[in-house]
Amino acid sequence: MVSGDPRSVIIRPVVSEKSYALQEHNVYTFVVAPGANKIQIRQAVESIFNVRVEAVRTLNRQGKRKRSRRQPTFGKRPDTKRAMVTLREGDSIPLFEGA
């Protein structure tokens, strides 16, 4: 369960070529808390960035298995949950515009 603070729902934006390409279609990608649902994500984005959200799509990503250099063992990167947020026409998030 996620607390009532919207900043505990949205962890950080995703910085990648694909996420920047989606911005042309008014879609922004964030790493979100694993227990957050679409309604909480929508409310958090609307309150933090003062925009209107049209749709929210979520996906769970498994962490990659990584080999240790010094020992013959494997570790694992953490699992993450991402949200792809579509904004209404005319709205944008200025955080991404300057990059």
Side-chain angles (χ1 to χ4, degrees):
M1 194 70 188
V2 181
S3 69
D5 183 27
R7 298 210 182 262
S8 66
V9 175
I10 305 295
I11 297 174
R12 67 178 183 272
V14 175
V15 179
S16 67
E17 289 183 26
K18 185 173 182 178
S19 67
Y20 278 109
L22 287 172
Q23 289 178 19
E24 296 174 5
H25 303 288
N26 224 14
V27 177
Y28 296 88
T29 308
F30 299 96
V31 175
V32 297
N37 60 29
K38 292 182 181 187
I39 297 169
Q40 293 170 331
I41 295 167
R42 173 190 295 264
Q43 292 171 348
V45 170
E46 286 179 346
S47 66
I48 292 171
F49 300 109
N50 197 20
V51 293
R52 296 170 299 167
V53 174
E54 187 173 304
V56 176
R57 293 178 293 165
T58 60
L59 57 123
N60 289 307
R61 295 189 51 166
Q62 294 293 320
K64 290 183 178 180
R65 188 175 136 177
K66 299 305 270 185
R67 184 177 64 86
S68 177
R69 285 179 25 175
R70 294 185 178 27
Q71 301 167 345
T73 59
F74 287 91
K76 183 177 169 293
R77 289 187 179 167
D79 299 337
T80 57
K81 183 172 188 176
R82 292 186 178 195
M84 300 171 77
V85 179
T86 305
L87 302 182
R88 290 193 182 164
E89 197 65 36
D91 284 349
S92 67
I93 296 178
L95 170 74
F96 293 100
E97 300 301 324

